[in-house]
Amino acid sequence: MLPSPLLTHLGFFSIMKNAHVSLFLLLFLLAACDLGPTIPPSEKEDEKEEPVDAGSFVRGADLSYVNEMVDCGAVYQDLNGQTNDPYAIFEEAGADIVRVRLWHDATWTAYSDFEDVKQTIQAAQDKGMQVLLDFHYSDNWADPGKQDVPAAWLGVVDNLPALGDSLYNYTYQVLQHLDQAGLLPEMVQVGNEINIEILQDPNQSYGQINWNRNAALIQRGLAAVRKAEQDFGQEIAVMLHIAQPENALWWFEQATQNGITDYDWIGLSYYPIWSTYSLTNLSTAVATLKDTYKKRVMVVETAYPYTLEDTDSANNILGSDALVPGYPATQEGQYLFLKALEEALLEGGAEGLIYWEPAWVSTSCSTQWAQGSHWDNATLFDHSKQATTGMQYFSGE
């Protein structure tokens, strides 16, 4: 159980125990049918889609913490116990895609800013892996219970045209700078776990979603990516990301009713502990989303404990209550959970799964709340930083 200051995310933080989550302030906390060198755009609605199979299913990792962990002294070992660059470990294990978060101006950390993201994209693409860039549109964790406007935009938070311009220009300029560096991502998330209204004034109470405002802002973000795609001559698949499939069902219905349709992928966070959907009926929700909105579906955040041991002062977010019957908190249990989750996703027609954050190991560095990692028992590295059996998941075998 996290102490109260730690009730926040990973996609991030909010232990909303009745199905809204991500990892810390309110915790947490791809694939085409024929995936080529880049992620293709969504299928046209009038085209008959081929069934998804395990061979075309995209498997990836959110490595937003890796650069910081390396700077904090983490030394990673592969499945054979050999020390290696963490990006190489994931690529050699079979990972197809790397997800990375971007905060607007997180003055409290030196990471997840533009330079750090460039480093991650460079490292991933150098290894032949694709990239999903996750715009948080905040200076801190954005999640189902917290979508704070960046401090730089607080002065226009109640001026919808000006706020929309800030969102558009920022999104476009980030992609423009990445293009100039030869680092355009193959996919972009417009927001992170945007279950609630985006770009909120933290000094106000918002209540129910104001869809006139929310849709206008989201559409400005989508338009910026489409303009970048046009100007820079590279397809950029666009994703909207909601935490937990039960929330995606109502959210995308309301979004569609309010004119939000120009996106390619539905991204989901799926943590069984916070979801009303189990592995046995998850495929039903996935199929409903895919068939209703004619979009491609991917889980972009999930994780599972390989142990219940806690080796540092940073409380583990996923404890015994996160376990699914039949899948113990062991390395084998972690691997089998991922295989079972993929099977459920394939049955529903989803096309990918990304693990959150498999390399956030314990080090001497500290989070905003404690020293170490709140995720070290759910990474794909054991406490000696050797890859767990769960790392074998990426091979598709």
Side-chain angles (χ1 to χ4, degrees), residues 169-191:
N169 292 335
Y170 168 68
T171 304
Y172 182 88
Q173 288 167 8
V174 165
L175 295 175
Q176 181 180 47
H177 290 313
L178 289 174
D179 176 65
Q180 291 169 349
L183 296 174
L184 268 182
E186 288 79 9
M187 178 177 285
V188 165
Q189 271 184 229
V190 174

Side-chain angles (χ1 to χ4, degrees), residues 33 43-52 290 294:
C33 297
E43 303 292 335
K44 294 181 180 177
E45 293 185 13
D46 59 351
E47 291 181 352
K48 183 177 180 180
E49 297 182 6
E50 295 296 325
V52 180
K290 180 182 177 72
K294 309 301 180 187

Side-chain angles (χ1 to χ4, degrees), residues 97-351:
I97 189 166
V98 169
R99 181 174 181 253
V100 60
R101 66 174 169 262
L102 174 63
W103 286 315
H104 184 269
D105 185 20
T107 57
W108 54 275
T109 178
Y111 298 92
S112 292
D113 61 5
F114 182 72
E115 291 303 317
D116 184 49
V117 165
K118 278 177 61 180
Q119 182 180 340
T120 298
I121 295 175
Q122 183 77 69
Q125 292 183 343
D126 283 350
K127 298 298 181 184
M129 295 181 287
Q130 299 181 35
V131 172
L132 167 55
L133 176 60
D134 177 12
F135 282 95
H136 274 237
Y137 296 126
S138 186
D139 296 333
N140 209 320
W141 298 104
D143 60 41
K146 183 166 150 297
Q147 294 283 330
D148 288 350
V149 68
W153 303 350
L154 187 58
V156 295
V157 71
D158 293 321
N159 183 332
L160 185 56
L163 184 60
D165 286 346
S166 296
L167 175 62
Y168 179 97
N169 292 335
Y170 168 68
T171 304
Y172 182 88
Q173 288 167 8
V174 165
L175 295 175
Q176 181 180 47
H177 290 313
L178 289 174
D179 176 65
Q180 291 169 349
L183 296 174
L184 268 182
E186 288 79 9
M187 178 177 285
V188 165
Q189 271 184 229
V190 174
N192 185 79
E193 293 187 328
I194 54 174
N195 298 39
I196 60 175
E197 191 171 332
I198 67 171
L199 297 177
Q200 296 188 11
D201 182 344
N203 301 310
Q204 296 182 22
S205 178
Y206 280 72
Q208 292 187 340
I209 296 174
N210 174 352
W211 276 105
N212 287 334
R213 180 182 184 274
N214 200 45
L217 292 171
I218 291 171
Q219 286 171 331
R220 290 292 277 159
L222 297 173
V225 180
R226 295 304 191 204
K227 185 65 165 69
E229 186 178 38
Q230 173 186 325
D231 289 353
F232 309 141
Q234 176 180 309
E235 292 177 349
I236 305 174
V238 188
M239 175 180 286
L240 296 177
H241 172 208
I242 299 297
Q244 310 307 343
E246 58 270 33
N247 297 319
L249 292 171
W250 64 258
W251 192 93
F252 281 99
E253 178 181 19
Q254 293 183 20
T256 302
Q257 291 170 354
N258 285 276
I260 298 175
T261 59
D262 187 19
Y263 59 96
D264 306 300
W265 287 83
I266 290 173
L268 302 173
S269 294
Y270 177 65
Y271 300 98
I273 184 177
W274 299 300
S275 182
T276 60
Y277 279 88
S278 68
L279 291 175
T280 58
N281 62 2
L282 176 62
S283 62
T284 302
V286 170
T288 298
L289 290 166
K290 180 182 177 72
D291 296 343
T292 302
Y293 304 107
K294 309 301 180 187
K295 306 296 183 182
R296 304 167 77 180
V297 181
M298 173 189 291
V299 165
V300 295
E301 289 191 31
T302 195
Y304 201 77
Y306 72 88
T307 182
L308 297 180
E309 182 184 8
D310 191 1
T311 60
D312 56 30
S313 61
N315 291 19
N316 292 341
I317 289 167
L318 297 182
S320 60
D321 54 351
L323 299 180
V324 175
Y327 302 94
T330 63
Q331 292 193 24
E332 182 72 6
Q334 182 186 62
Y335 169 76
L336 292 175
F337 168 80
L338 291 172
K339 296 297 291 183
L341 176 54
E342 177 174 316
E343 182 178 349
L345 293 174
L346 284 167
E347 183 180 348
E351 301 181 62

